[in-house]
Amino acid sequence: MQGQRADGRGGGRTAKPRRRHLYLVLDDWSLGYSIRKIDLSSHSHPNDPHQLLAAGVRREGSVGEQLLPSAIFRVVAQRGLPMYFAGAFGTKIMAMHLGDDGDEADTHPVVPKRLVTAFDVRTRAMVFCPRPKQDRMSYPFYIPVGNRLLALSASFQLLNPPEPNHPTGQWCAPSWHELPEPPFDSRVVTSYAVHPDGQVIFVSIGKLIAPATFSFQMGEGNMEGRWEPLGDWILPFEGGAHYDAKLNAWVGISTYPDGIGHLSACDVIPGRQGQCLTWKVSKETFFSEDPEEKHVGATLVYMGHSSKFCLVECVCIEDKHLAGRVYNYREESPLPCRYLFRVSTFALKYDKNGDLTAGDSRRVRYYSVPGETTMLLLKYPVAFWM
């Protein structure tokens, strides 16, 4: 059926694209995690006086720090495990924490303890999905590939998007499919990236072992595939990298020894190439340079258009006023810290000299961190752009 124009005549009207937001996941309550939605649009003023804390800390042009919005959803799960969250199918945040019994071999979709929670940020609905195979000795990585999700942990698995709804209206849960196991342990992974064609995944290893990079070529129907070694080098990123079409490069937080706090942009690697292509380190550092702010951890989020990115950095500030309220505090002890999320948005480009830069596009906001948040969620912030 054709759409109808606002004036009553046929012809239809193109629907406006859904506006996206930044979603932060924090383990800031006793039973698990909360999801908070932050509006980073230009008309959302970062310095609303109704949201400012009484302290009103001034940081890099920002009038003060803001209170985080209230939670829009809560997940009951073991706290302090940021690595078990994944973004999938465009609008779903999945919490894939281990079950209570530790035996995750059986993922039967009708057994409640074998299910994981998925929260759809668009519909505000909660659905259940089968749990991937896991064990307590592995460190999971979840890699979105188009509208699919790869899980690299105790095994290597693929989660295809859910099938269309059943005629009865029943939601049809997706299912996990086993892929060939990688020739390395997930605990030694340092970085990963996905080829823009969505058919090749690159994974670098190097934690306490010889550095190396492997590629995985998806097979026919995405159900097969093969791993191939590419060489004794690693991708120049910390964790996952994001492909940006305008730059025609992967972008991630740099691991270059002299580039701490900078970003790296790396040329896309053909699936069978035996060595890494060229890469550049940004002119600017994107971590806080304020001497009063100590870096704790950071996550880079791709905002999906016009080379726009968001860096969620956790910083701590020594607080003399807080020291006065800490029970049994001694003068010779280090000052207690209060923690802030430093959220910076920017657009990357190559300048006339070919250097990677954000120019004057950076905008910075500060948000106070709830005191109950654990250190691992501060060191490895969980953030999604949806």
Side-chain angles (χ1 to χ4, degrees):
M1 180 177 179
Q2 279 192 325
Q4 191 172 13
R5 290 172 50 171
D7 58 8
R9 290 175 293 177
R13 172 180 291 177
T14 303
K16 291 183 179 180
R18 184 181 60 85
R19 191 152 57 91
R20 297 187 175 190
H21 298 83
L22 180 70
Y23 293 88
L24 289 181
V25 180
L26 303 172
D27 57 349
D28 54 359
W29 67 297
S30 60
L31 296 181
Y33 303 79
S34 68
I35 299 176
R36 299 176 186 245
K37 173 183 175 181
I38 300 177
D39 188 352
L40 295 181
S41 61
S42 58
H43 63 266
S44 174
H45 201 286
N47 302 317
D48 183 346
H50 298 293
Q51 291 186 326
L52 296 180
L53 292 181
V57 180
R58 185 178 184 276
R59 291 286 179 267
E60 295 189 13
S62 175
V63 173
E65 63 198 67
Q66 300 173 252
L67 293 171
L68 282 171
S70 300
I72 62 171
F73 187 72
R74 285 183 169 179
V75 178
V76 176
Q78 183 180 345
R79 302 169 68 217
L81 298 173
M83 70 288 289
Y84 285 101
F85 282 94
F89 313 138
T91 60
K92 290 181 175 59
I93 297 175
M94 300 180 67
M96 292 186 274
H97 294 68
L98 289 165
D100 294 335
D101 58 3
D103 179 11
E104 303 302 325
D106 180 11
T107 57
H108 196 284
V110 300
V111 184
K113 67 181 179 181
R114 307 296 187 189
L115 300 177
V116 298
T117 302
F119 174 68
D120 192 312
V121 301
R122 181 177 60 85
T123 64
R124 297 291 183 93
M126 181 184 68
V127 296
F128 294 101
C129 295
R131 190 187 305 276
K133 287 186 177 180
Q134 300 166 312
D135 64 45
R136 297 191 183 278
M137 298 302 295
S138 62
Y139 189 101
F141 289 90
Y142 302 103
I143 308 172
V145 182
N147 62 350
R148 299 160 292 164
L149 183 69
L150 290 172
L152 175 60
S153 56
S155 61
F156 191 42
Q157 302 162 82
L158 171 70
L159 184 66
N160 282 311
E163 297 179 3
N165 286 348
H166 192 272
T168 63
Q170 182 179 1
W171 187 77
C172 299
S175 57
W176 292 96
H177 301 278
E178 293 282 343
L179 295 173
E181 291 193 8
F184 52 82
D185 191 294
S186 65
R187 289 172 291 183
V188 300
V189 172
T190 61
S191 54
Y192 54 88
V194 179
H195 194 278
D197 67 8
Q199 296 302 306
V200 187
I201 296 91
F202 301 88
V203 180
S204 292
I205 62 174
K207 294 180 180 178
L208 303 178
I209 63 171
T213 295
F214 297 83
S215 68
F216 180 79
Q217 176 73 52
M218 300 291 287
E220 191 71 25
N222 300 325
M223 292 299 106
E224 301 295 335
R226 64 183 183 275
W227 287 96
E228 291 188 2
L230 297 183
D232 57 355
W233 48 269
I234 60 174
L235 294 165
F237 310 114
E238 176 184 327
H242 307 276
Y243 175 74
D244 179 74
K246 189 174 180 180
L247 297 175
N248 192 27
W250 290 313
V251 178
I253 297 175
S254 177
T255 53
Y256 187 66
D258 295 330
I260 302 300
H262 293 251
L263 301 182
S264 288
C266 176
D267 289 346
V268 174
I269 308 165
R272 294 180 178 273
Q273 178 142 334
Q275 61 182 8
C276 184
L277 295 184
T278 58
W279 50 277
K280 297 183 177 183
V281 176
S282 64
K283 293 171 64 174
E284 308 96 334
T285 176
F286 288 86
F287 290 176
S288 174
E289 297 183 275
D290 190 322
E292 295 183 13
E293 297 177 0
K294 181 181 177 182
H295 173 79
V296 178
T299 295
L300 183 66
V301 179
Y302 182 48
M303 299 176 73
H305 60 89
S306 303
S307 304
K308 290 192 68 175
F309 293 83
C310 174
L311 184 76
V312 179
E313 180 188 13
C314 180
V315 297
C316 72
I317 301 174
E318 292 184 340
D319 194 330
K320 296 180 180 179
H321 298 290
L322 183 61
R325 301 194 296 270
V326 174
Y327 179 73
N328 233 6
Y329 173 75
R330 297 181 180 180
E331 286 294 331
E332 64 271 16
S333 304
L335 285 171
C337 285
R338 60 191 181 88
Y339 295 92
L340 302 173
F341 281 128
R342 180 179 182 271
V343 178
S344 55
T345 55
F346 48 89
L348 292 176
K349 63 180 180 180
Y350 294 118
D351 64 17
K352 61 182 180 180
N353 297 318
D355 294 322
L356 184 67
T357 180
D360 60 354
S361 66
R362 258 195 293 183
R363 301 293 181 268
V364 179
R365 310 176 190 211
Y366 283 78
Y367 296 89
S368 58
V369 176
E372 298 81 2
T373 308
T374 65
M375 185 53 64
L376 273 179
L377 265 290
L378 302 181
K379 189 173 181 181
Y380 303 102
V382 180
F384 303 99
W385 180 252
M386 293 180 167

